Structure formats: C-alpha cells, structure tokens
Amino acid sequence: MTGDGTVLFVGTGLGRTFGEVTAVDDVSCLVVAGDRIAVTGPSGSGKSTLLHLVAGIDRPTSGTATWPRLPGGPLQHPGSVGIVFQQPNLLPDLTALENVQLPLLLAGHTAEAAAEAAAEALRTLELGHLADRLPHELSGGQAHRVAVARAVAGRPELVVADEPTAALDGPTAAHLAAALLATVERVGAALLIATHDETVAARMRTSWSMTHGTLTRITPIGADTC
Ligand SMILES: Nc1ncnc2c1ncn2[C@@H]1O[C@H](COP(=O)(O)OP(=O)(O)OP(=O)(O)O)[C@@H](O)[C@H]1O
C-alpha cells in the first residue's frame, strides 16, 4: 500500500474546542499511504489536538473526520492506527513483551499470534533481548522503543506520534527517531509526527505548520514555497 495514493484520513473543516479555547480551527487535511508528515508549530498551537483527531481518539466539535479504509473509525478497528505518545506509558507490572502483546489481545488476536507479533516487533526495534524486562528495568530510550513496538505490532497503515522524542536527550532522541522511521518503513505505514525537533522534522517529506489551531502551511520538505 505504501505510496500508492490510498487515502487513509480525510479531515474536512475540523474544529475542536475545549470550553472557551479553540484548539483546532477549521483544519482540512489529507493523509495518504506512505506519507511522512511532520506537524510543527509553537506550544499550544493545536498539534496534539489535531493528532488525536487523526488517530480517532478524540472527536471534532465541528467538521468531519473520516478514514476511508476504516468504516466507523479507528476505534472500530483496534490496532489499525498506531499511536506513540511523548511518554511511553507502559504498564508497570507487565514485561516489555506483555506490554506490546496487550493491545493485540484486546484487538482479538489469539494469544499465540499476539505473542509472535509482539516478539517480532520487539526484534525489529532491537529489543528482543529485553522482552522479559519490566518497564522500570529499561532505560528511557528502551522504554520509548517498546512503545514504538507496541504501536506497530498490529501492522497499522497509519502511525501517529505525538512528540515522541521530546523527553529524550539528543543522541537518544535521534536513535528513537531513526528507529521509528525504519519501523514504519518496514511495516509500510504512513507517519504523522508532531515535533519541536527540527532534525526530526527534516527527515519527513512534508511539513504541516500550525498556528493558533490553524493549519497555515503544507510544505514539501526541501521546497522553498508551499
Ligand atoms: N483537554 C483539554 N482541555 C482544555 N484545553 C485543552 C485541552 N487540550 C488542549 N487544550 C488547549 O488547546 C490548545 C492546543 O493544545 P495542544 O496540546 O493541542 O497544543 P500543542 O501544539 O500540542 O502544544 P505543545 O507543543 O505544548 O504540546 C492549548 O491552548 C491547550 O491549552
């Protein structure tokens, strides 16, 4: 499916308000198979809110969000959109393998299939040898890579990552960004990533700039104009 023009997400006039605050304001956007999109903009400009709408874990207060390949939206198709947050959010009493396995079990995979897919995802992230470790026995960078493994283990067509490198130091952030890109490439997923890190943004093909909840520019990376 990668790069074949398959439309994964269509946002039309998306708005999201929280009381008096307008976090996302009349945003129309498209995510296509194989996309590599950096969502940039100042703190509070609505990046996380937009990502949550694209991932289907929040609903717009105006406009429409549709996933042409996922009737009913991602919540009706568990595992179809992989999500990576700023913090790994691993369950502390589960091993790395069990953390990756859990969403697959919840999505209805058999225990055997979930274990196999989870182990493969961990190996892809060079974490096979840490499968039995508990989260507190992992470094920060390793825990983040487990979170990436968890997001891709179900082989989603779309991965949404909300500032996944923000809590990491420079080299660890670079390593995670490289691992995330290599992994989405391997599973053939599109990637939408909110980031303040210019080196991460520069590795994408497209940049969406947000200001005060509005998508102000869509720029092919390396182009002079939008
Ligand atoms: N659950 C919420 N309740 C109230 N206001 C919210 C909520 N979530 C976001 N907001 C507000 O919406 C606006 C956009 O927030 P959002 O987190 O999307 O910005 P952001 O660009 O991701 O910021 P950052 O780069 O700091 O993570 C902000 O003014 C924020 O305070």
Side-chain angles (χ1 to χ4, degrees), residues 33-222:
D35 268 350
R36 301 279 179 270
I37 302 167
V39 184
T40 61
S43 180
S45 58
K47 301 182 297 296
S48 297
T49 307
L50 179 61
L51 260 61
H52 293 168
L53 296 175
V54 176
I57 57 173
D58 190 14
R59 289 189 179 178
T61 40
S62 56
T64 55
T66 52
W67 298 262
R69 290 175 56 77
L70 304 172
L75 294 183
Q76 301 297 318
H77 306 266
S80 56
V81 177
I83 308 176
V84 186
F85 296 99
Q86 189 169 334
Q87 298 297 336
N89 299 330
L90 302 179
L91 293 176
D93 296 331
L94 300 186
T95 65
L97 182 74
E98 289 165 344
N99 265 285
V100 177
Q101 224 175 319
L102 184 62
L104 299 170
L105 293 172
L106 295 174
H109 292 244
T110 64
E112 195 182 344
E116 205 170 297
E120 192 197 330
L122 286 173
R123 278 196 300 274
T124 301
L125 272 297
E126 298 171 14
L127 292 166
H129 59 300
L130 302 178
D132 295 330
R133 294 252 186 114
L134 290 168
H136 77 268
E137 298 170 324
L138 300 170
S139 72
Q142 289 166 345
H144 275 81
R145 280 189 284 136
V146 173
V148 173
R150 180 180 56 193
V152 301
R155 302 190 83 81
E157 291 189 327
L158 172 60
V159 173
V160 171
D162 190 4
E163 300 191 41
T165 63
L168 302 172
D169 62 43
T172 314
H175 187 210
L176 183 78
L180 178 58
L181 264 173
T183 308
V184 293
E185 202 69 53
R186 190 175 170 129
V187 301
L191 175 64
L192 183 67
I193 181 171
T195 184
H196 288 282
D197 184 335
E198 286 176 15
T199 60
V200 173
R203 300 189 68 166
M204 302 301 131
R205 295 190 199 118
T206 309
S207 170
W208 292 359
S209 306
M210 292 200 72
T211 312
H212 301 303
T214 307
L215 191 53
T216 45
R217 268 192 350 153
I218 299 179
T219 318
I221 301 280

